[in-house]
Amino acid sequence: MKKIFTLLFAVGMVTIASAQSGRFEHGKQAAGYASNTKVTLHQINREYDYKIAAVRMDRHLRSWEKAKQIQFLQKQRDAAIRNMQFNFEKDSRFYGSNGNRRSNAHKW
């Protein structure tokens, strides 16, 4: 009798635990965007860090030319990051919290 009760209790706990996991699926798309944003941000920073390092190591440029090119590359990096953030915010406004497209039909 103890074994049957323990088995039923274990099956009930597994059933309850598996039913709870379905609640958080609506946040998966937002989490995907967030991790995608981090990867893209890391890629942008790595790419521009490499370009800036190449300019600093260039022996044929004068110091003021290096400073000008580095400043230009930093502005490009900032613009790329702003563009990525804008696209992320645009997508997060376009999709609701559950990942479905928002409908403007019910807004009064």
Side-chain angles (χ1 to χ4, degrees):
M1 188 66 169
K2 273 186 176 178
K3 290 181 182 181
I4 292 173
F5 179 71
T6 306
L7 180 65
L8 288 175
F9 181 74
V11 169
M13 292 301 288
V14 169
T15 304
I16 290 171
S18 65
Q20 295 295 323
S21 67
R23 281 187 169 181
F24 298 104
E25 289 185 21
H26 63 81
K28 283 187 179 179
Q29 187 164 1
Y33 279 127
S35 66
N36 211 5
T37 302
K38 289 178 186 176
V39 169
T40 307
L41 181 63
H42 183 67
Q43 288 173 345
I44 290 171
N45 282 328
R46 185 175 52 212
E47 175 185 346
Y48 281 97
D49 285 342
Y50 178 76
K51 288 179 181 181
I52 289 171
V55 169
R56 284 187 179 145
M57 298 298 286
D58 191 358
R59 301 171 101 192
H60 301 290
L61 293 176
R62 295 184 176 156
S63 61
W64 63 272
E65 289 176 314
K66 288 181 185 182
K68 189 175 179 180
Q69 283 190 359
I70 289 171
Q71 185 179 18
F72 177 73
L73 287 171
Q74 287 173 341
K75 286 181 181 180
Q76 273 188 335
R77 178 197 333 222
D78 292 341
I81 290 171
R82 277 194 306 271
N83 187 25
M84 181 207 51
Q85 288 173 340
F86 174 76
N87 289 335
F88 172 71
E89 289 172 3
K90 180 179 69 171
D91 289 342
S92 65
R93 283 192 307 263
F94 184 71
Y95 289 97
S97 61
N98 61 356
N100 295 328
R101 184 178 176 183
R102 285 188 181 173
S103 173
N104 292 332
H106 298 294
K107 290 189 177 180
W108 300 84

